[in-house]
Amino acid sequence: MAVLTKTPQEISHMSEADVANLATRLELDDYASPFEALQDWHLLRAIAFQREDLVKPYWHLLDIEAYDES
């Protein structure tokens, strides 16, 4: 399975289909090594910081929880 790496400029030009393909790979969890999965997870997280609108349907894959620091 090919793992994607993107620059911030490439992330800004990603489409909904690109993100859907990435999310599908993460959901299938069919990687040769855990490091490949981690790279895709980091890419999805990077997309979330720049293009949150594209990641909203896949937020559950990021496993980010809100918490109260007080």
Side-chain angles (χ1 to χ4, degrees), residues 4 11 28 46 54 59 64 69:
L4 299 175
I11 289 173
L28 292 175
L54 293 178
W59 200 252
I64 296 175
E69 293 181 10

Side-chain angles (χ1 to χ4, degrees), residues 4-12 14 18 43 46-47 50:
L4 299 175
T5 55
K6 302 282 186 191
T7 65
Q9 293 79 17
E10 291 171 318
I11 289 173
S12 68
M14 290 185 78
D18 295 330
L43 177 56
I47 296 167
Q50 289 188 31

Side-chain angles (χ1 to χ4, degrees), residues 13-49:
H13 291 92
M14 290 185 78
S15 69
E16 288 182 24
D18 295 330
V19 178
N21 288 335
L22 175 63
T24 299
R25 283 201 314 271
L26 283 166
E27 287 175 338
L28 292 175
D29 196 25
D30 185 26
Y31 294 94
S33 78
F35 299 105
E36 290 179 358
L38 190 59
Q39 285 179 322
D40 273 355
W41 184 84
H42 280 292
L43 177 56
L44 187 65
R45 192 165 186 247
I47 296 167
F49 284 118

